[in-house]
């Protein structure tokens, strides 16, 4: 667990509804345990939604929803940020120049078990295997990662073509 990262856990909707009902009567003390077995070859799902734009694109805004190592930091907060961006743009009635693809994907680590530095392999595979047309057509891909850690305010990783832009943004 990273110091200062918010404690989070994903639970089923019906369990969340039951917990909210109990909270209506006041504070509730509880404990939760995650007991997740690694099942090699298990299936995962990606969630994809589009916000229409005038040009095809798409601009890709993605976050992974699998939880490894420290799931709140990696990457429940990234998924929360993704949903907040999509909701804000939709509620504002914004029509972007390029179509925007919001994608929450599983297997960011793509089956690389017990390795600390296997980031974004699943994001790469989603483009390379599932949507190879995005490689040249997508003008930008924003991968939301580790947004809940107070010591990692902004990290921009970019290909060499975008180094000047990344330095200016940082």
């Amino acid at each position: 667990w990273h110091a200062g990262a918010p404690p989070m856990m994903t639970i089923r909707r019906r369990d969340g509804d039951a917990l909210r009902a109990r909270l209506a009567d006041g504070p509730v003390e509880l404990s939760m345990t995650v007991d997740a077995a690694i099942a090699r070859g298990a299936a995962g799902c990606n969630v994809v939604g589009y916000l229409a734009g005038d040009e095809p694109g798409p601009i890709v805004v993605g976050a992974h929803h699998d939880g490894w190592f420290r799931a709140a930091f990696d990457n429940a907060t990234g998924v929360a940020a993704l949903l907040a961006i999509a909701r804000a743009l939709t509620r504002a009635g914004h029509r972007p120049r390029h179509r925007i693809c919001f994608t929450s994907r599983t297997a960011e680590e793509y089956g690389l078990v017990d390795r600390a530095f296997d980031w974004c392999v699943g994001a790469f595979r989603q483009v390379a295997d599932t949507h190879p047309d995005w490689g040249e057509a997508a003008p930008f891909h924003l991968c939301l990662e580790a947004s809940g850690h107070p010591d990692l305010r902004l990290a921009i990783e970019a290909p060499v073509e975008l180094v000047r832009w990344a330095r200016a943004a940082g």
Side-chain angles (χ1 to χ4, degrees), residues 137-152:
F140 190 75
H141 184 159
L142 173 64
C143 184
L144 299 164
E145 173 83 26
S147 57
H149 195 288
D151 294 333
L152 299 174

Side-chain angles (χ1 to χ4, degrees), residues 67-95:
W68 291 96
F69 305 110
R70 298 144 190 100
F73 163 66
D74 185 25
N75 188 33
T77 53
V79 174
L82 170 102
L83 294 171
I85 292 168
R87 179 181 298 138
L89 290 173
T90 301
R91 285 186 178 168
H94 178 71
R95 182 167 179 94

Side-chain angles (χ1 to χ4, degrees), residues 11-25 28:
I11 61 175
R12 295 179 299 187
R13 182 180 181 142
R14 68 176 179 239
D15 294 331
D17 291 342
L19 181 57
R20 273 190 294 280
R22 287 187 59 199
L23 286 168
D25 295 329
V28 175

Side-chain angles (χ1 to χ4, degrees), residues 14-149:
R14 68 176 179 239
D15 294 331
D17 291 342
L19 181 57
R20 273 190 294 280
R22 287 187 59 199
L23 286 168
D25 295 329
V28 175
E29 187 173 319
L30 60 100
S31 65
M32 298 173 75
T33 303
V34 175
D35 182 13
I38 295 174
R40 297 191 187 277
C45 297
N46 296 330
V47 179
V48 179
Y50 291 92
L51 181 59
D54 297 321
E55 297 186 28
I59 289 174
V60 180
V61 179
H64 70 92
H65 55 252
D66 57 322
W68 291 96
F69 305 110
R70 298 144 190 100
F73 163 66
D74 185 25
N75 188 33
T77 53
V79 174
L82 170 102
L83 294 171
I85 292 168
R87 179 181 298 138
L89 290 173
T90 301
R91 285 186 178 168
H94 178 71
R95 182 167 179 94
R97 180 174 165 202
H98 289 275
R99 181 173 64 143
I100 300 177
C101 172
F102 294 96
T103 174
S104 176
R105 51 195 165 244
T106 194
E108 182 228 14
E109 283 80 16
Y110 206 70
L112 301 175
V113 178
D114 296 326
R115 297 188 186 161
F117 300 103
D118 48 14
W119 304 329
C120 291
V121 176
F124 164 79
R125 295 305 245 192
Q126 184 179 33
V127 174
D129 296 347
T130 308
H131 294 283
D133 54 305
W134 288 357
E136 292 184 16
F140 190 75
H141 184 159
L142 173 64
C143 184
L144 299 164
E145 173 83 26
S147 57
H149 195 288

